[in-house]
Amino acid sequence: MEKRNELYAGKAKSVYTTDDENLLVLSFRNDTSAFDGKKMARLERKGAVNNQFNAFIMEKLAEAGIPTHFEKLLSAEEALVKRLDMFPIECVVRNISAGSICRRLGVEEGLDLNPPTYELFLKNDALGDPMINESVAHSFGWATPEQMEEMRALTLKVNDVLKALFLAGNMLLVDYKLEFGVFDGKIYLGDEFSPDGCRLWDKDTRESLDKDRFRKGLGDVVEGYEEVGRRLGMTFKYD
Ligand code: 5GP
C-alpha cells in the first residue's frame, strides 16, 4: 500500500488517499481544538496516543461484532482505514449528564441517565453542530430512516461494550460521539474513538481524564489520555 495525496485536513487528523481507491490513511496530528475550532493548541504525543488508543478500541468493538472502518496500524501516528461515504451526522450517547446537555436543559452535571440519552447533531462547525433528529436527517436526505435506526442500534451496542471496558479500569464512560459511513452498501463505524470525543471520569474522584481537561484549561491533557490507556493495559509507542 502506497500513501498518496492529502484528501482532507481536519482539526486533529489528516486523511490521505492510497494506491487502493477503497483505502485511506488517517494521520493523527498533535493539534487539538475545542468549541468548534475556536480554541486550538498543539500537544506533544497526542497524535500517537489517539491513533493507538483508537486502534485498541476499534479492535475491541470489532471483536464485539461492530463493523468498523479500521484495517490496521501503520505507524505510531497513522492507521489504514476503509474509505467510507460519511453521513454528516454525529451520534451522541450520554450515561451521565455533562457538557452541552447541562447548558441546553439547565440540568446539573453528574446525573445518572437511565436509559442513556441518544442525540443527533449535524456535523457543521460553522453552525456549531446544531442538534437535529431522524425526521430532519430524512427530509434533507442525509440518511434514510433505516440507516438512522442502524446507527442508533450500533451506537447503543458500543455503549454496552465500552461502558464495561472502562469500568474494568475504574472509569465511567460519561458520554461519547460516533460517526458512521457507508462502504459497499453497508454501515461502518468511521472517524475515531478517543478521549477527544468522549468523556471519561475516574469512578471514585470523578476527575476528567478526557478532552474536558483541554476545554476547561486543567492541564495534563495528554497525560490524562495516557492514564486512560494505562488503566486499559495499553503501552504507547512514540516515534
Ligand atoms: P457535548 O454535546 O456535551 O458537547 O458533547 C457530548 C460528547 O460528544 C462529548 O464526549 C464530546 O467530546 C463529544 N463531541 C460532541 N461533538 C464533538 C465534536 O464535534 N468533536 C469531538 N471530537 N467530539 C465531540
Side-chain angles (χ1 to χ4, degrees), residues 1-237:
M1 190 283 307
E2 196 183 304
K3 183 172 151 187
R4 295 225 164 126
N5 305 315
E6 186 175 83
L7 182 67
Y8 170 78
K11 294 192 291 294
K13 293 191 292 292
S14 299
V15 182
Y16 294 85
T17 57
T18 68
D19 55 358
D20 183 334
E21 64 177 6
N22 292 319
L23 296 174
L24 296 172
V25 172
L26 291 189
S27 181
F28 289 71
R29 306 193 314 268
N30 286 341
D31 299 312
T32 195
S33 69
F35 312 120
D36 300 311
K38 289 183 197 81
K39 179 174 179 179
M40 314 262 276
R42 281 181 66 77
L43 300 173
E44 285 300 310
R45 307 190 307 286
K46 179 177 165 280
V49 168
N50 273 11
N51 180 39
Q52 292 165 58
F53 188 90
N54 176 60
F56 179 89
I57 297 291
M58 289 284 167
E59 279 167 1
K60 294 283 180 206
L61 295 178
E63 280 166 23
I66 292 156
T68 87
H69 68 156
F70 182 77
E71 292 280 319
K72 63 175 181 178
L73 271 178
L74 295 174
S75 67
E77 277 121 18
E78 291 189 327
L80 190 68
V81 297
K82 286 187 180 64
R83 183 175 188 157
L84 309 185
D85 187 10
M86 298 298 291
F87 296 103
I89 295 171
E90 301 183 344
C91 305
V92 171
V93 163
R94 299 176 202 269
N95 294 304
I96 299 176
S97 61
S100 73
I101 202 167
C102 295
R103 294 191 294 277
R104 207 169 344 110
L105 303 183
V107 296
E108 67 185 275
E109 183 178 278
L111 302 175
D112 283 337
L113 302 172
N114 196 6
T117 61
Y118 177 69
E119 298 162 327
L120 301 173
F121 298 88
L122 177 66
K123 195 173 163 66
N124 185 323
D125 272 349
L127 297 177
D129 291 350
M131 195 174 196
I132 58 169
N133 62 27
E134 277 92 347
S135 161
V136 174
H138 185 199
S139 296
F140 284 97
W142 295 325
T144 67
E146 294 73 27
Q147 289 170 328
M148 301 299 309
E149 188 42 46
E150 196 170 339
M151 284 189 258
R152 178 193 181 94
L154 289 170
T155 303
L156 290 169
K157 188 167 174 189
V158 166
N159 200 30
D160 292 338
V161 178
L162 295 188
K163 252 193 336 187
L165 182 84
F166 289 117
L167 197 56
N170 206 42
M171 291 172 281
L172 297 171
L173 177 59
V174 173
D175 56 31
Y176 57 91
K177 179 264 299 175
L178 299 180
E179 295 178 31
F180 294 89
V182 176
F183 178 84
D184 221 359
K186 184 177 159 182
I187 293 183
Y188 288 81
L189 176 59
D191 192 43
E192 70 179 269
F193 190 101
S194 74
D196 267 2
C198 69
R199 289 191 173 91
L200 291 164
W201 292 352
D202 177 87
K203 184 167 175 286
D204 301 323
T205 65
R206 298 210 155 195
E207 182 193 5
S208 293
L209 298 167
D210 56 74
K211 199 180 186 176
D212 269 354
R213 299 199 67 82
F214 176 69
R215 294 189 188 98
K216 296 179 178 177
L218 299 175
D220 291 337
V221 178
V222 178
E223 288 77 1
Y225 295 17
E226 289 167 321
E227 170 65 12
V228 174
R230 194 188 61 71
R231 292 188 189 195
L232 298 179
M234 297 180 63
T235 44
F236 295 103
K237 296 189 186 70

